[in-house]
């Protein structure tokens, strides 16, 4: 038995924000807006994780599916050039079934690619259609053999409604574009990898502490305003990165 390996490089980027406001604003925050800022900053950091991961699949500049990931070389675009029956079909049971079958027909080093479960990712505009298609348990079919009932071949596919798709993809087809991906599981190499800096997996929240000390002794809390100009400052920092893994057939 022999083994070979190759590497794929990608970066982890640092993201952050600072919010500065006066001591008086905090005291007069009758609606509690400033008190919720730490929670909002943490949510912004979590949102950045979704944005970075989605941008692996979606082109944030030219819009539509990211050509770095989706192209004919990788064979992962629903097109006749890649062996499909038509080009860019609308979301349907037939189209999703064909896409799943095509993915399962791929090989790696001569071995079949085994996918135990798929995920259908859609924008909010396709949520109702996707739920309807996946929720049907059986269909009545009429053909030359007569009329009979068949089980829904895509009823076991999971659904992810990604609200960031129409935010990142501002192209004319965003509300008609759907993505079928293998669900991640132990022992299965993912198509998209997501990474953080070790030991810094969660957003870090801080408050500026250049507040000085009381004359009677003791440090002045950060929420009492800075020594220089009586302001208060919150900060968030987060490290995230994502990339698509090369395809082999």
């Amino acid at each position: 038995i022999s083994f070979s390996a190759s590497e794929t490089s990608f970066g982890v980027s640092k993201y952050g924000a600072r919010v500065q406001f006066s001591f008086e604003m905090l005291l007069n925050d009758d609606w509690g807006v400033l008190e919720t800022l730490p929670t909002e900053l943490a949510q912004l950091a979590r949102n950045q994780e979704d944005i970075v991961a989605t941008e692996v699949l979606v082109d944030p500049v030219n819009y539509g599916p990211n050509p770095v990931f989706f192209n004919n070389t990788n064979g992962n675009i629903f097109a006749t050039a890649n062996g499909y029956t038509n080009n860019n079909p609308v979301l349907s049971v037939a189209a999703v079934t064909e896409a799943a079958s095509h993915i399962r027909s791929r090989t790696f080093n001569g071995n079949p690619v085994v996918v135990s479960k798929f995920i259908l990712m859609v924008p909010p505009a396709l949520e109702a259609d996707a739920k309807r298609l996946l929720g049907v348990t059986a269909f009545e079919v009429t053909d030359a053999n007569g009329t009979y009932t068949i089980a829904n071949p895509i009823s076991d596919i999971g659904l992810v409604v990604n609200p960031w798709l129409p935010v990142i993809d501002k192209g004319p087809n965003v509300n008609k574009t759907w993505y079928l991906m293998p669900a991640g599981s132990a022992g299965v190499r993912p198509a998209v990898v997501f990474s953080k800096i070790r030991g810094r997996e969660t957003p870090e929240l801080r408050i500026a502490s250049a507040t000085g000390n009381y004359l009677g002794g003791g440090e002045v809390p950060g929420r009492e305003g800075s020594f220089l100009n009586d302001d208060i400052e919150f900060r968030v920092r987060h490290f995230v990165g994502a990339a698509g893994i090369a395809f082999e057939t």
Side-chain angles (χ1 to χ4, degrees):
I1 299 176
S2 63
F3 297 91
S4 63
S6 61
E7 65 179 25
T8 297
S9 300
F10 70 99
V12 175
S13 299
K14 178 166 63 177
Y15 300 89
R18 292 186 297 175
V19 179
Q20 189 178 39
F21 51 93
S22 69
F23 172 68
E24 291 79 10
M25 289 177 65
L26 181 62
L27 290 182
N28 293 326
D29 185 21
D30 294 336
W31 288 3
V33 174
L34 296 180
E35 287 293 344
T36 65
L37 267 178
T39 301
E40 294 296 329
L41 290 174
Q43 185 59 53
L44 285 175
R46 294 300 190 192
N47 289 348
Q48 192 62 41
E49 295 181 2
D50 292 337
I51 292 170
V52 168
T54 302
E55 286 182 350
V56 174
L57 307 176
V58 177
D59 188 342
V61 177
N62 299 311
Y63 311 136
N66 193 333
V68 175
F69 190 79
F70 294 105
N71 52 64
N72 289 335
T73 300
N74 288 341
N76 55 354
I77 297 177
F78 202 121
T80 55
N82 296 318
Y84 288 94
T85 56
N86 51 41
N87 297 315
N88 300 321
V90 298
L91 181 63
S92 67
V93 172
V96 175
T97 301
E98 184 176 356
S101 176
H102 193 83
I103 293 173
R104 285 190 167 115
S105 71
R106 301 179 72 96
T107 59
F108 177 69
N109 286 340
N111 298 312
V113 173
V114 178
V115 180
S116 59
K117 185 175 179 60
F118 285 98
I119 295 294
L120 176 64
M121 186 174 74
V122 300
L126 284 178
E127 179 178 4
D129 288 344
K131 287 182 175 179
R132 176 176 55 83
L133 295 176
L134 298 177
V136 174
T137 57
F139 296 97
E140 186 176 88
V141 177
T142 300
D143 58 21
N145 296 317
T147 300
Y148 50 95
T149 300
I150 62 171
N152 183 1
I154 65 171
S155 62
D156 62 336
I157 291 179
L159 176 63
V160 171
V161 180
N162 189 336
W164 293 103
L165 287 174
V167 175
I168 299 171
D169 183 0
K170 301 185 185 301
N173 297 318
V174 59
N175 289 327
K176 296 183 292 184
T177 304
W178 50 276
Y179 302 82
L180 186 68
M181 300 170 290
S185 60
V188 177
R189 190 183 69 174
V192 177
V193 293
F194 186 81
S195 184
K196 301 177 183 179
I197 289 183
R198 185 174 300 168
R200 298 290 188 273
E201 290 85 1
T202 59
E204 178 192 82
L205 296 170
R206 297 186 191 178
I207 183 172
S209 62
T211 53
N213 295 288
Y214 291 112
L215 287 177
E219 184 177 338
V220 179
R223 291 173 181 267
E224 290 298 318
S226 70
F227 185 87
L228 181 64
N229 57 16
D230 215 24
D231 72 329
I232 300 169
E233 188 172 20
F234 292 155
R235 195 190 89 159
V236 62
R237 180 179 69 183
H238 199 28
F239 302 90
V240 293
I245 299 298
F247 285 73
E248 290 87 8
T249 58

